[in-house]
Amino acid sequence: MKMIQTDHVLEFDQIKQKWLELALTDWAKQEIQNTVPCLSESALAAKQRETSEAKELLEKNGNPPLVSLDGIRDCIQMAVKGDCLSISRLEDLEKALVAVMRLKHYLNRSKQWELSLAYYEENLDCLDDLKEAIHQQIRNGRIDDNASKDLKSFRMEIEQNEKSMREKADAVIRANKDRLSDHFSTLRNGHICIPVKKEYKHKIKGSVIDQSATGSTLFIEPASVGKYYDALQLLRICEENEERRILYSLSAMTADYAEILKQNIRMIEKLDFIFSKGKLSLEYGGTEPTIHTQRYIRLEDGRHPLMSPSECVPLQFEIGKNFDGVVITGPNTGGKTVAIKTVALNCMMAQCGLHVACKKAEICINSNFLCDIGDGQNLSENLSTFSAHIVNVLEILKYADKDSLIIMDELGSGTDPTEGMGIAIAILEQLQKSGGLFLVTTHYPEVKLYAAEQSRIANAKMTFDKESLKPLYQLVIGEAGESCAFYIAGKMGMPESMLKTAMKAAYNKAELSESLKQVVSKNHLEKRKTPGIQKAKKHQNTRLGQEFQLGDSVLVYPDKKIGIICQTANEKGVLRVQMANKKIWINHKRVKLHVAAEKLYPADYDFSIIFDSVKNRKLRHQIDRGKMIEEHIIMQDEINRNKINK
């Protein structure tokens, strides 16, 4: 099984995250990231002893003066290669040596308790010569004036030259006040200059060094000042060379002590790692477990280290002496998963050299921690919950041996109950054959019966308060638990008739137990009224704008002007409206009925009187009259033909 997956399943990755926050050096943090269960009994005993002594020193002597050593190895490497260390790097090196000195004093004080961890002090060397040399020659981010006689002499001469240059510049300013833009000197390109008005350029002897943005002012180095400039530059070169000599000297001294410095760093990093384990133990109130190679585990008042002690009910657990497997049953949210995680996580922490969250613990060394917890659904490989569960279980069974610790949650779940029960029993059978220690949780009553028949498997239950309907999170080994589903349902108000139906479906009997009869409700489910659904009215004619008829008086929006419908809506909902002086085409959505035509006009009213011109009405009258004469002639001819035929 992949360690990364097991870390995540057991939440050991969260323990590591808390652990990482307590370390200071990069090396210690990397060691924490790479920590895996130890398989050597003697090495593990040493790791546990370190953790216990670190915790004891923290309690008795406080936190050790450990510091981060980022960059110190680079300093040493540069010095060994012959490079010149910068002032800041040498200051960092001095701080590291001061930290070594303080840590050495801390461990010396700790020897009074006769703990072997305190004697790591003998592996630390303060290198007083190097520390003192750096301290005397480098202070406040610069090389001190007293670092050497030559350096002090150069700097005094430089200071005197600069003072003389200022005095000469001030003298020129006093003698030429009217020719200057300002009455003070300034530094331009390393030269002391005075601001001279452009028109007086030739009145003052000296060199033009710079000019103002407008060009009206020239910055001139007076001739009396300039003669000091070359001498000043030479002095500064001498100063720089002397500073470089001092830095190279300190760098060479660092290179001479390279191996001792590296040993100091390794020791500080190791102590940082060890003390981080002690700090972590203090955070969750850890205890050193007894480690052995016999195949049994016993936890007294065990807790999940990520849970608050005030919220966690202590776990009493034992496996390996009288039985190799434990089948835990009980109601949902009863703490079954937390219980098996608590056992496995404490065992893994113990094997990584950490203290356990228990009052007392005896833990065997396990070759493997094999876990199947959670639904395990794998969307990337298109596996269902059950398929992923089975894949994981089969992988576990391949690795399981007599030295393994196996935990499985909800054995055989995620499929048909009958078939799931059969698979659960088959898995238990295989786990027994492996010879390892295992803890599983299940809801199947058949699995409880199977476990009761096996000599090396014990049933266990998580207790439940039937009055408050709350889990008690207490593990009782030797008794099988019950789901309490019927009891909870009855307590919450499920009617007796429904519970009888459930009992008959589950156990083929409709008789309720006495405890269930006391809490069950004899009332039927009371139906509550719910808001009715309102259906939309169906319109027979769905053509747009058909609500408007010829002659309707309407309001035309947005101006709300009155008009009369002179042509009803077409299939697109566009109709024609007669306004005061024109006719317009408009969408029916912009029109609102004002007065219906039936209230304004008789049933057979001729709307052409309103909408047609006089000329159009006469023309239509003539056409209609012609049609009537033509029809009369046709009718008369028909009558005459009938008379002839007779």
Side-chain angles (χ1 to χ4, degrees):
M1 297 295 288
K2 293 182 179 178
M3 185 62 189
I4 295 176
Q5 180 187 358
T6 306
D7 277 8
H8 178 69
V9 170
L10 291 181
E11 297 173 327
F12 188 53
D13 56 343
Q14 296 183 42
I15 297 292
K16 278 187 175 181
Q17 189 57 46
K18 286 181 172 290
W19 188 6
L20 280 169
E21 294 170 1
L22 301 173
L24 297 170
T25 61
D26 290 340
W27 182 88
K29 291 179 180 179
Q30 191 60 47
E31 281 294 297
I32 293 170
Q33 291 281 25
N34 297 335
T35 297
V36 295
C38 179
L39 300 179
S40 168
E41 185 177 12
S42 57
L44 187 53
K47 290 176 184 290
Q48 285 290 345
R49 184 173 60 253
E50 287 175 348
T51 306
S52 297
E53 292 187 357
K55 181 183 178 184
E56 186 173 349
L57 284 183
L58 288 166
E59 290 175 326
K60 293 180 177 179
N61 206 13
N63 283 329
L66 292 164
V67 295
S68 173
L69 297 174
D70 294 342
I72 301 302
R73 274 197 173 89
D74 293 338
C75 290
I76 299 170
Q77 190 65 28
M78 289 175 64
V80 170
K81 288 166 59 179
D83 293 341
C84 181
L85 297 178
S86 66
I87 292 174
S88 61
R89 285 187 179 276
L90 286 168
E91 285 184 320
D92 289 342
L93 185 58
E94 182 195 0
K95 291 176 183 175
L97 290 173
V98 171
V100 171
M101 178 189 69
R102 290 174 177 170
L103 182 58
K104 195 173 177 69
H105 292 164
Y106 174 90
L107 294 174
N108 261 324
R109 292 196 307 271
S110 302
K111 288 180 180 179
Q112 61 181 301
W113 295 291
E114 298 182 354
L115 298 172
S116 58
L117 183 60
Y119 290 89
Y120 277 113
E121 172 270 333
E122 297 173 2
N123 296 324
L124 294 171
D125 192 330
C126 298
L127 294 177
D128 291 332
D129 292 346
L130 178 59
K131 176 169 63 66
E132 192 62 25
I134 296 174
H135 177 70
Q136 287 182 352
Q137 298 182 69
I138 296 176
R139 294 183 182 180
N140 301 320
R142 67 188 293 268
I143 298 176
D144 192 75
D145 292 346
N146 296 312
S148 73
K149 290 182 180 180
D150 288 343
L151 181 62
K152 185 174 183 179
S153 176
F154 292 143
R155 286 182 176 174
M156 287 177 67
E157 289 187 51
I158 289 171
E159 185 179 352
Q160 185 60 43
N161 270 26
E162 288 178 340
K163 182 179 179 182
S164 298
M165 292 170 73
R166 290 285 180 188
E167 289 175 351
K168 294 294 183 183
D170 291 343
V172 175
I173 290 172
R174 287 194 298 271
N176 298 276
K177 289 183 178 180
D178 296 337
R179 298 171 183 175
L180 305 182
S181 301
D182 286 306
H183 299 104
F184 55 84
S185 60
T186 182
L187 192 66
R188 292 295 176 111
N189 300 326
H191 298 263
I192 293 179
C193 303
I194 59 176
V196 181
K197 296 177 181 178
K198 187 176 182 181
E199 57 268 26
Y200 297 111
K201 172 183 177 182
H202 300 293
K203 298 295 182 179
I204 297 177
K205 292 181 180 181
S207 303
V208 177
I209 303 301
D210 199 0
Q211 66 178 8
S212 64
T214 61
S216 61
T217 300
L218 301 178
F219 295 96
I220 297 176
E221 181 185 47
S224 58
V225 175
K227 67 180 183 179
Y228 290 96
Y229 181 77
D230 292 337
L232 183 62
Q233 295 308 306
L234 182 60
L235 285 170
R236 283 176 174 161
I237 290 172
C238 293
E239 178 195 28
E240 184 179 344
N241 288 338
E242 182 62 13
E243 287 178 345
R244 188 171 292 275
R245 185 195 67 78
I246 292 169
L247 292 177
Y248 266 111
S249 175
L250 292 173
S251 300
M253 196 174 181
T254 301
D256 292 339
Y257 290 122
E259 288 306 316
I260 298 176
L261 286 168
K262 289 179 181 178
Q263 180 181 330
N264 282 341
I265 291 172
R266 288 193 294 269
M267 189 52 53
I268 288 176
E269 289 172 337
K270 183 173 182 179
L271 287 170
D272 182 30
F273 176 75
I274 293 172
F275 276 104
S276 69
K277 295 192 293 179
K279 292 173 186 175
L280 184 65
S281 178
L282 285 173
E283 281 209 350
Y284 56 78
T287 306
E288 180 182 350
T290 300
I291 303 294
H292 55 79
T293 54
Q294 302 175 44
R295 297 305 297 158
Y296 76 88
I297 298 169
R298 188 175 72 85
L299 305 181
E300 183 180 332
D301 289 347
R303 296 179 288 103
H304 194 293
L306 295 175
M307 295 177 65
S308 171
S310 60
E311 299 176 357
C312 190
V313 177
L315 179 72
Q316 316 302 328
F317 180 81
E318 186 172 354
I319 191 174
K321 287 187 175 180
N322 300 319
F323 45 84
D324 302 320
V326 176
V327 177
I328 305 175
T329 50
N332 286 328
T333 70
K336 299 190 299 298
T337 304
V338 173
I340 61 175
K341 276 189 177 182
T342 298
V343 174
L345 180 55
N346 275 289
C347 289
M348 178 175 281
M349 289 169 61
Q351 248 180 276
C352 289
L354 299 175
H355 283 175
V356 293
C358 304
K359 181 180 179 181
K360 189 176 180 181
E362 297 177 68
I363 295 174
C364 61
I365 297 177
N366 299 289
S367 62
N368 274 317
F369 290 87
L370 307 172
C371 310
D372 179 55
I373 297 177
D375 60 23
Q377 190 172 21
N378 192 324
L379 299 178
S380 62
E381 297 180 12
N382 197 27
L383 295 178
S384 67
T385 299
F386 179 71
S387 300
H389 168 70
I390 290 299
V391 167
N392 200 29
V393 166
L394 293 177
E395 192 71 11
I396 286 173
L397 294 176
K398 291 176 184 177
Y399 283 94
D401 59 20
K402 63 182 180 62
D403 294 322
S404 298
L405 176 62
I406 307 119
I407 64 171
M408 294 185 181
D409 195 27
E410 300 294 347
L411 201 62
S413 63
T415 186
D416 175 80
T418 303
E419 296 179 359
M421 175 272 297
I423 289 174
I425 291 175
I427 294 170
L428 282 177
E429 185 77 26
Q430 198 63 34
L431 289 175
Q432 285 193 93
K433 291 179 181 179
S434 72
L437 303 178
F438 58 91
L439 294 83
V440 301
T441 69
T442 185
H443 281 294
Y444 295 125
E446 294 85 356
V447 175
K448 292 185 280 188
L449 293 174
Y450 171 82
E453 296 172 355
Q454 306 301 311
S455 60
R456 298 299 297 176
I457 300 180
N459 274 312
K461 71 174 183 178
M462 301 303 297
T463 55
F464 186 83
D465 187 346
K466 290 187 175 182
E467 293 302 319
S468 64
L469 299 182
K470 293 181 179 179
L472 299 176
Y473 301 108
Q474 292 179 336
L475 179 67
V476 179
I477 297 178
E479 298 180 26
E482 54 184 354
S483 68
C484 300
F486 291 155
Y487 190 90
I488 294 172
K491 189 86 172 177
M492 298 306 292
M494 182 174 282
E496 182 179 3
S497 58
M498 289 183 66
L499 282 173
K500 286 183 176 180
T501 302
M503 288 285 291
K504 186 168 182 62
Y507 302 112
N508 199 26
K509 61 178 182 179
E511 187 64 29
L512 302 183
S513 64
E514 290 301 321
S515 61
L516 196 54
K517 288 179 180 179
Q518 294 176 6
V519 299
V520 73
S521 171
K522 297 186 180 296
N523 299 326
H524 296 285
L525 286 177
E526 182 181 347
K527 292 292 184 180
R528 306 289 173 86
K529 291 184 178 181
T530 57
I533 297 173
Q534 298 179 357
K535 295 183 178 180
K537 295 180 179 179
K538 295 183 179 180
H539 299 284
Q540 293 182 351
N541 192 340
T542 59
R543 185 174 172 182
L544 299 175
Q546 282 300 109
E547 64 269 24
F548 298 106
Q549 304 298 325
L550 196 65
D552 286 346
S553 175
V554 294
L555 293 174
V556 179
Y557 284 82
D559 298 330
K560 296 185 179 180
K561 291 183 178 180
I562 296 177
I564 299 175
I565 302 296
C566 61
Q567 191 169 331
T568 56
N570 58 21
E571 65 277 0
K572 294 182 179 180
V574 177
L575 43 78
R576 202 171 191 190
V577 178
Q578 174 72 60
M579 304 301 291
N581 54 0
K582 61 180 178 179
K583 294 178 181 177
I584 61 170
W585 292 98
I586 189 169
N587 190 285
H588 73 284
K589 293 181 180 179
R590 291 181 56 195
V591 174
K592 182 177 181 181
L593 183 64
H594 180 52
V595 182
E598 60 186 17
K599 295 182 180 180
L600 296 173
Y601 311 102
D604 56 351
Y605 186 78
D606 183 6
F607 287 103
S608 63
I609 297 172
I610 301 174
F611 305 131
D612 281 354
S613 63
V614 176
K615 182 179 179 181
N616 287 341
R617 289 204 309 275
K618 285 183 177 180
L619 181 60
R620 187 181 298 108
H621 180 70
Q622 290 174 359
I623 292 172
D624 291 343
R625 184 178 180 185
K627 287 181 179 179
M628 290 176 64
I629 293 172
E630 185 178 354
E631 290 175 358
H632 178 74
I633 294 171
I634 293 171
M635 187 182 297
Q636 191 62 46
D637 289 343
E638 185 67 27
I639 293 171
N640 292 335
R641 281 197 300 272
N642 289 336
K643 287 181 178 180
I644 293 170
N645 290 335
K646 289 180 179 179

